Amino acid sequence: MHWKKSILALLLVSATAVQSVPAFELDIKASAETIVKNDFEVSYGGWYENADNVSMSVENGEGIDGSKAMFVSDRHNASEGISSDKSLYLTGGKNYVYNVNIKTSKSDTAYLRISYENNGKINNKVLKSEKTKAGKWTKITSKYKAPADAKNITI
């Protein structure tokens, strides 16, 4: 199996109106209220591989607090990884804070991206990028407000 990059991610999403590596956690908050939280303890939380060659699995004991984390592998470039449609939870025109915790197997740059549709066009945006250190957790936090008519919001 060819492994150019590995990602293990425990993702925690908290929404205050805002939105890889061996492990990650996502938390999205709106006004200090958590809207979405994916810690992979019970399910994949709607996360899927966003390229045919990418693989993902939940790994026990790899999470930021020793719990479960998502392991992502077989990435060939920075845009390949995992995604999740959060349209049921997030709407355009509101500010959200996105938090993602990522641990990479080697020092690299990790990206937090959002995609949404408005005016019949798909928009892709890097919310933030951070340098990672091999084997260490890195938190990426970004505030973002998609246009009021944004739909099909994916992280």
Short mmCIF file of all heavy atoms in Angstrom, two decimals, residues 111-137:
data_model
loop_
_atom_site.label_atom_id
_atom_site.label_comp_id
_atom_site.label_asym_id
_atom_site.label_seq_id
_atom_site.Cartn_x
_atom_site.Cartn_y
_atom_site.Cartn_z
N TYR A 111 -4.67 21.84 7.09
CA TYR A 111 -5.60 22.85 6.62
C TYR A 111 -7.01 22.56 7.12
O TYR A 111 -7.46 21.43 7.10
CB TYR A 111 -5.64 22.86 5.08
CG TYR A 111 -4.32 23.19 4.45
CD1 TYR A 111 -3.39 22.21 4.19
CD2 TYR A 111 -4.01 24.50 4.14
CE1 TYR A 111 -2.17 22.51 3.62
CE2 TYR A 111 -2.79 24.82 3.57
CZ TYR A 111 -1.87 23.81 3.31
OH TYR A 111 -0.66 24.13 2.76
N LEU A 112 -7.71 23.62 7.55
CA LEU A 112 -9.13 23.56 7.87
C LEU A 112 -9.83 24.25 6.71
O LEU A 112 -9.60 25.43 6.45
CB LEU A 112 -9.41 24.26 9.20
CG LEU A 112 -10.88 24.40 9.59
CD1 LEU A 112 -11.57 23.05 9.68
CD2 LEU A 112 -10.98 25.15 10.92
N ARG A 113 -10.68 23.50 6.01
CA ARG A 113 -11.35 24.02 4.82
C ARG A 113 -12.86 23.96 4.97
O ARG A 113 -13.37 23.11 5.67
CB ARG A 113 -10.97 23.19 3.59
CG ARG A 113 -9.51 23.16 3.27
CD ARG A 113 -9.24 22.15 2.14
NE ARG A 113 -7.84 21.88 1.98
CZ ARG A 113 -7.04 22.50 1.14
NH1 ARG A 113 -7.52 23.45 0.37
NH2 ARG A 113 -5.77 22.18 1.07
N ILE A 114 -13.53 24.86 4.27
CA ILE A 114 -14.99 24.84 4.21
C ILE A 114 -15.40 24.94 2.75
O ILE A 114 -14.72 25.57 1.93
CB ILE A 114 -15.61 25.99 5.05
CG1 ILE A 114 -17.11 25.79 5.20
CG2 ILE A 114 -15.26 27.34 4.46
CD1 ILE A 114 -17.73 26.70 6.24
N SER A 115 -16.50 24.30 2.43
CA SER A 115 -17.06 24.34 1.08
C SER A 115 -18.56 24.60 1.22
O SER A 115 -19.20 24.08 2.13
CB SER A 115 -16.82 23.00 0.37
OG SER A 115 -17.45 22.99 -0.88
N TYR A 116 -19.09 25.44 0.35
CA TYR A 116 -20.53 25.71 0.38
C TYR A 116 -20.97 26.14 -1.01
O TYR A 116 -20.17 26.49 -1.87
CB TYR A 116 -20.88 26.79 1.41
CG TYR A 116 -20.18 28.11 1.19
CD1 TYR A 116 -20.74 29.08 0.35
CD2 TYR A 116 -18.97 28.37 1.79
CE1 TYR A 116 -20.08 30.28 0.13
CE2 TYR A 116 -18.31 29.57 1.58
CZ TYR A 116 -18.87 30.52 0.75
OH TYR A 116 -18.21 31.70 0.53
N GLU A 117 -22.29 26.10 -1.22
CA GLU A 117 -22.86 26.51 -2.50
C GLU A 117 -23.66 27.79 -2.29
O GLU A 117 -24.39 27.92 -1.31
CB GLU A 117 -23.78 25.40 -3.01
CG GLU A 117 -24.44 25.71 -4.32
CD GLU A 117 -25.39 24.60 -4.79
OE1 GLU A 117 -25.33 23.50 -4.23
OE2 GLU A 117 -26.18 24.89 -5.70
N ASN A 118 -23.46 28.75 -3.20
CA ASN A 118 -24.33 29.92 -3.24
C ASN A 118 -24.32 30.48 -4.66
O ASN A 118 -23.33 30.36 -5.37
CB ASN A 118 -23.99 30.97 -2.17
CG ASN A 118 -22.81 31.84 -2.50
OD1 ASN A 118 -21.80 31.35 -2.99
ND2 ASN A 118 -22.93 33.12 -2.22
N ASN A 119 -25.44 31.01 -5.05
CA ASN A 119 -25.63 31.53 -6.41
C ASN A 119 -25.25 30.50 -7.46
O ASN A 119 -24.67 30.83 -8.50
CB ASN A 119 -24.82 32.82 -6.61
CG ASN A 119 -25.29 33.93 -5.72
OD1 ASN A 119 -26.49 34.07 -5.46
ND2 ASN A 119 -24.35 34.71 -5.22
N GLY A 120 -25.54 29.23 -7.19
CA GLY A 120 -25.27 28.16 -8.15
C GLY A 120 -23.81 27.79 -8.31
O GLY A 120 -23.45 27.03 -9.20
N LYS A 121 -22.96 28.31 -7.45
CA LYS A 121 -21.52 28.06 -7.55
C LYS A 121 -21.01 27.40 -6.28
O LYS A 121 -21.41 27.77 -5.18
CB LYS A 121 -20.79 29.39 -7.78
CG LYS A 121 -19.31 29.26 -7.92
CD LYS A 121 -18.65 30.63 -8.09
CE LYS A 121 -17.14 30.47 -8.07
NZ LYS A 121 -16.46 31.74 -7.96
N ILE A 122 -20.10 26.45 -6.43
CA ILE A 122 -19.44 25.81 -5.28
C ILE A 122 -18.24 26.67 -4.90
O ILE A 122 -17.42 27.03 -5.74
CB ILE A 122 -18.95 24.38 -5.63
CG1 ILE A 122 -20.13 23.51 -6.08
CG2 ILE A 122 -18.22 23.77 -4.44
CD1 ILE A 122 -21.16 23.25 -5.01
N ASN A 123 -18.16 27.03 -3.63
CA ASN A 123 -17.06 27.85 -3.11
C ASN A 123 -16.24 27.02 -2.13
O ASN A 123 -16.79 26.40 -1.23
CB ASN A 123 -17.62 29.08 -2.39
CG ASN A 123 -18.41 29.96 -3.31
OD1 ASN A 123 -17.87 30.82 -3.98
ND2 ASN A 123 -19.73 29.74 -3.37
N ASN A 124 -14.94 27.02 -2.30
CA ASN A 124 -14.02 26.33 -1.41
C ASN A 124 -13.09 27.35 -0.80
O ASN A 124 -12.56 28.21 -1.49
CB ASN A 124 -13.19 25.29 -2.19
CG ASN A 124 -14.06 24.20 -2.76
OD1 ASN A 124 -14.67 23.44 -2.03
ND2 ASN A 124 -14.14 24.14 -4.08
N LYS A 125 -12.91 27.27 0.52
CA LYS A 125 -12.08 28.25 1.21
C LYS A 125 -11.25 27.57 2.29
O LYS A 125 -11.76 26.74 3.04
CB LYS A 125 -12.98 29.30 1.84
CG LYS A 125 -12.25 30.38 2.60
CD LYS A 125 -13.20 31.48 3.03
CE LYS A 125 -12.53 32.57 3.82
NZ LYS A 125 -11.44 33.23 3.19
N VAL A 126 -9.97 27.92 2.34
CA VAL A 126 -9.13 27.50 3.45
C VAL A 126 -9.39 28.48 4.58
O VAL A 126 -9.12 29.68 4.44
CB VAL A 126 -7.63 27.49 3.07
CG1 VAL A 126 -6.77 27.20 4.30
CG2 VAL A 126 -7.35 26.47 1.98
N LEU A 127 -9.94 27.99 5.69
CA LEU A 127 -10.20 28.87 6.83
C LEU A 127 -8.92 29.19 7.58
O LEU A 127 -8.72 30.31 8.03
CB LEU A 127 -11.21 28.23 7.79
CG LEU A 127 -12.60 27.95 7.22
CD1 LEU A 127 -13.49 27.34 8.28
CD2 LEU A 127 -13.23 29.23 6.67
N LYS A 128 -8.06 28.19 7.70
CA LYS A 128 -6.80 28.40 8.39
C LYS A 128 -5.87 27.22 8.14
O LYS A 128 -6.32 26.10 7.93
CB LYS A 128 -7.03 28.55 9.89
CG LYS A 128 -5.81 29.05 10.65
CD LYS A 128 -6.21 29.59 11.99
CE LYS A 128 -5.01 30.21 12.67
NZ LYS A 128 -5.31 30.58 14.04
N SER A 129 -4.59 27.49 8.18
CA SER A 129 -3.59 26.42 8.11
C SER A 129 -2.64 26.59 9.29
O SER A 129 -2.46 27.70 9.79
CB SER A 129 -2.82 26.48 6.79
OG SER A 129 -2.08 27.66 6.68
N GLU A 130 -2.11 25.50 9.75
CA GLU A 130 -1.17 25.51 10.88
C GLU A 130 -0.06 24.51 10.62
O GLU A 130 -0.30 23.43 10.06
CB GLU A 130 -1.86 25.10 12.19
CG GLU A 130 -2.84 26.09 12.74
CD GLU A 130 -2.18 27.28 13.42
OE1 GLU A 130 -0.98 27.25 13.73
OE2 GLU A 130 -2.90 28.27 13.65
N LYS A 131 1.14 24.85 11.04
CA LYS A 131 2.27 23.91 11.00
C LYS A 131 2.06 22.90 12.13
O LYS A 131 1.64 23.27 13.22
CB LYS A 131 3.60 24.63 11.21
CG LYS A 131 3.89 25.67 10.15
CD LYS A 131 4.42 25.01 8.91
CE LYS A 131 4.85 26.09 7.93
NZ LYS A 131 5.06 25.60 6.61
N THR A 132 2.33 21.64 11.85
CA THR A 132 2.22 20.60 12.86
C THR A 132 3.61 20.05 13.20
O THR A 132 4.54 20.18 12.40
CB THR A 132 1.34 19.43 12.38
OG1 THR A 132 1.98 18.80 11.26
CG2 THR A 132 -0.04 19.91 11.98
N LYS A 133 3.71 19.45 14.37
CA LYS A 133 4.94 18.78 14.78
C LYS A 133 4.63 17.30 14.87
O LYS A 133 3.58 16.91 15.41
CB LYS A 133 5.42 19.30 16.13
CG LYS A 133 5.89 20.73 16.09
CD LYS A 133 6.41 21.18 17.44
CE LYS A 133 6.84 22.64 17.37
NZ LYS A 133 7.31 23.13 18.66
N ALA A 134 5.52 16.47 14.36
CA ALA A 134 5.32 15.02 14.36
C ALA A 134 4.94 14.50 15.74
O ALA A 134 5.59 14.81 16.73
CB ALA A 134 6.58 14.33 13.87
N GLY A 135 3.84 13.74 15.78
CA GLY A 135 3.41 13.10 17.01
C GLY A 135 2.80 13.99 18.06
O GLY A 135 2.44 13.54 19.14
N LYS A 136 2.60 15.28 17.77
CA LYS A 136 2.04 16.24 18.73
C LYS A 136 0.68 16.74 18.22
O LYS A 136 0.49 16.94 17.02
CB LYS A 136 2.96 17.45 18.91
CG LYS A 136 4.35 17.10 19.37
CD LYS A 136 4.35 16.67 20.81
CE LYS A 136 5.77 16.41 21.28
NZ LYS A 136 5.80 15.82 22.58
N TRP A 137 -0.24 16.99 19.14
CA TRP A 137 -1.54 17.54 18.78
C TRP A 137 -1.41 19.02 18.46
O TRP A 137 -0.72 19.75 19.16
CB TRP A 137 -2.54 17.36 19.92
CG TRP A 137 -3.05 15.95 20.00
CD1 TRP A 137 -2.59 14.97 20.82
CD2 TRP A 137 -4.09 15.38 19.23
NE1 TRP A 137 -3.29 13.82 20.60
CE2 TRP A 137 -4.23 14.05 19.62
CE3 TRP A 137 -4.93 15.87 18.23
CZ2 TRP A 137 -5.17 13.18 19.06
CZ3 TRP A 137 -5.86 15.01 17.67
CH2 TRP A 137 -5.98 13.69 18.09
#
